[in-house]
Amino acid sequence: MTPFRITDKEFENDRVVFSLGDIIKVIIDEKTYHELSKDHEDEVIVSASEEKKIINRITGRGLVYISQATGIPIYGHISFGMIDRGTNLIQVRPMTGCNLNCIFCSACEGPMSDVLKTDYIVDLDYLMLEIERLAALKGDGVEIHIDGQGEPGFYPHFKELVKRCNDLREVEVVSVQSNGFSLDPKDIKDLEGKLDRINLSLNTLKPETAKKLSGIPEYDFEHVERMIRYLSESDIDILIAPVWVPGINDSDIIEIIEFVRDNIHDNKWPSIGIQKFIPYKHGRKPNVEVMTFHRFYQVLKELEGRYDMNLILNPSDFDISYRPSNKTRFKKGEWIKAYLRAPGRKKGEMVGVARDRAISVETKKHVGDTVKCKITRTKHDIYHAIEIK
C-alpha cells in the first residue's frame, strides 16, 4: 500500500483532518486517531485505517480508497482501475473527479454534477501490480494511457505513476489525457524523459467561450495557454484534443487547427485530434444540433485538404495493434450474485464484486449485502448489471 504525503493536520470538533495536498481531505475520529498513533506514524494511519472518511476537495464528493485490502478488483468498472480493449494500449484510471463542469461532458463530471455521488482513488502499488502483469501479457510496445472520468493529473501519486510505468520493460509509450489545470512548469520539467505525450483538452482559443464550454466562470485560460507554451518547449509531445460542439465552437475549431499548424511542430504523433460531441444517457446535453458521423468526417476531410494536415486519425497513427487480453468473466444476460463492497458512482448504483471483477450494479441495497443481478454489459471486460427482484 502506497503511503500518502500529508501536507497539513488539524484537530477540529473531535476529528482529525488531514490534507493530502490540495486535492484530498481525510477525516478520522480523534479517539481512533489517538489509539492508532500509539503504534503508527500519521502516514500509515491515513493509508491503512479503515475508520476514515475521504473527501475529494475539488468535487466535494466522498472518495472510496481502493487497495488490494478492500477486495475490490481493479478490472470491470468503467470509472476506476484499468481497461483492456484487446490492444497494446492499456487505459489506467487512477482517480475520478474534475474541476470543470463541461457542458458536453459524457460523465457529467465536475463540482456541479447532479448525477454523480461518489469518487474513487486507487492505491498506486495496487495499480502497478496489475499494470506489470498486463503489460507482460501484452508484450513489447505497450502504451500506458492515463485517463479517466475527471482530471487524472490530480492523482496524488501522478508523477510516480508515470515514472514507474515508464520504467517497465514492455512499455514504450506513456501518455495522459489532461485539461491542463493539474500542471505547472515544474511538473512538466519533472515529467520530461518519462511522459511521452499529453492529450490536452482545449476547445476554444477565446476566454469567454472557454468559460461557457467548461461551465466554470473562473476558467483560467491564461494558465492553459502557459502550459501549452511550456509543453511545446519540452520533449513531451502535445496533442490538442478539442470537442466540436456544433453551434458553439464551430469557428473555434478552425482557429485551433491554425494554432496547432503554426505553433506545434516536430511531434512524433499527430498534433491535433478533433472529437465529435456525442450525447450520452447520463452525460450533459447542450441544446445543439448533433452532427452526424458522416457530416463530421466529411468536414474533417475538407479541412484536411485546406490545411494539408492529418485530421482524421486512425489507430495506426499511434501504432495501436491487437494483443492478447483478459478474458471476459460474464455473458450478457447472465444471472449472477454479487457482493456489494462500495457505493456506486451514480445514484441508485453500487460497486459489486464477483469472479474477480468490479461490477456497476443498479440496486437499492447497501454495502455488505449480496444482490442477485442480471449482467447487461460485458464489452471490453467492463460490466454493468441490474438487480433482479
Side-chain angles (χ1 to χ4, degrees), residues 340-368:
L340 304 182
R341 287 193 175 272
R345 182 83 162 120
K346 297 187 284 289
K347 297 169 185 176
E349 287 185 354
M350 298 293 286
V351 177
V353 174
R355 300 179 197 168
D356 197 32
R357 287 296 181 266
I359 307 164
S360 178
V361 183
E362 291 185 32
T363 177
K364 293 183 179 179
K365 291 190 175 182
H366 307 287
V367 172

Side-chain angles (χ1 to χ4, degrees), residues 67-341:
S67 67
Q68 225 174 343
T70 64
I72 299 175
I74 218 163
Y75 294 103
H77 204 285
I78 197 167
S79 300
F80 62 82
M82 293 165 60
I83 299 176
D84 173 12
R85 300 182 190 271
T87 71
N88 60 325
L89 185 143
I90 300 171
Q91 286 177 261
V92 175
R93 298 187 160 182
M95 184 178 177
T96 61
C98 190
N99 58 314
L100 305 182
N101 299 303
C102 293
I103 64 173
F104 52 81
C105 181
S106 62
C108 198
E109 252 296 350
M112 300 295 291
S113 179
D114 58 357
V115 171
L116 306 178
K117 69 172 185 176
T118 307
D119 282 325
Y120 304 96
I121 181 169
V122 185
D123 177 69
L124 176 60
D125 287 341
Y126 190 24
L127 267 179
M128 289 309 307
L129 182 70
E130 292 299 330
I131 291 171
E132 290 172 15
R133 186 198 66 78
L134 188 56
L137 174 68
K138 300 285 185 183
D140 292 343
V142 166
E143 175 172 347
I144 301 294
H145 184 63
I146 305 169
D147 67 358
Q149 294 183 342
E151 170 52 41
F154 288 136
Y155 183 54
H157 309 299
F158 176 70
K159 287 192 280 189
E160 180 67 14
L161 172 61
V162 170
K163 179 184 180 300
R164 289 174 65 174
C165 287
N166 182 70
D167 288 342
L168 294 179
R169 184 187 65 79
E170 298 88 355
V171 173
E172 185 174 317
V173 177
V174 181
S175 60
V176 64
Q177 184 74 35
S178 177
N179 62 30
F181 284 98
S182 63
L183 300 171
D184 61 34
K186 183 180 183 302
D187 291 330
I188 293 172
K189 185 176 181 180
D190 291 344
L191 290 166
E192 285 193 274
K194 306 174 188 71
L195 183 65
D196 297 286
R197 187 181 71 251
I198 288 184
N199 297 354
L200 189 77
S201 301
L202 179 72
N203 305 300
T204 177
L205 297 178
K206 301 183 183 78
E208 290 306 311
T209 307
K211 293 175 183 179
K212 179 178 181 178
L213 286 166
S214 68
I216 298 289
E218 62 275 15
Y219 185 96
D220 189 351
F221 186 78
E222 291 183 359
H223 173 81
V224 178
E225 278 189 314
R226 286 196 304 273
M227 295 308 101
I228 292 173
R229 185 172 66 252
Y230 280 115
L231 284 166
S232 65
E233 295 170 354
S234 75
D235 66 7
I236 302 170
D237 263 25
I238 179 170
L239 182 152
I240 302 297
V243 175
W244 188 346
V245 186
I248 297 181
N249 66 342
D250 300 300
S251 62
D252 307 71
I253 294 297
I254 302 298
E255 292 174 359
I256 291 171
I257 292 172
E258 293 174 349
F259 173 82
V260 169
R261 178 197 61 187
D262 297 338
N263 294 277
I264 301 178
H265 308 112
D266 303 319
N267 263 13
K268 179 179 178 181
W269 295 278
S271 301
I272 184 170
I274 301 170
Q275 303 166 82
K276 174 186 161 341
F277 164 65
I278 302 173
Y280 286 87
K281 180 180 178 181
H282 297 290
R284 296 194 183 96
K285 304 175 185 68
N287 186 23
V288 299
E289 185 176 345
V290 178
M291 194 182 304
T292 65
F293 277 102
H294 175 75
R295 179 58 181 161
F296 176 71
Y297 286 114
Q298 182 182 49
V299 175
L300 289 190
K301 190 68 176 177
E302 294 169 0
L303 292 172
E304 282 188 329
R306 186 193 308 178
Y307 291 101
D308 191 28
M309 294 173 65
N310 180 19
L311 301 177
I312 301 176
L313 307 187
N314 294 292
S316 59
D317 293 313
F318 301 91
D319 297 319
I320 303 302
S321 58
Y322 289 107
R323 295 292 177 86
S325 62
N326 289 317
K327 294 180 180 179
T328 55
R329 297 300 203 270
F330 308 98
K331 294 180 179 179
K332 192 171 181 179
E334 183 178 356
W335 290 22
I336 66 165
K337 286 185 178 180
Y339 180 65
L340 304 182
R341 287 193 175 272

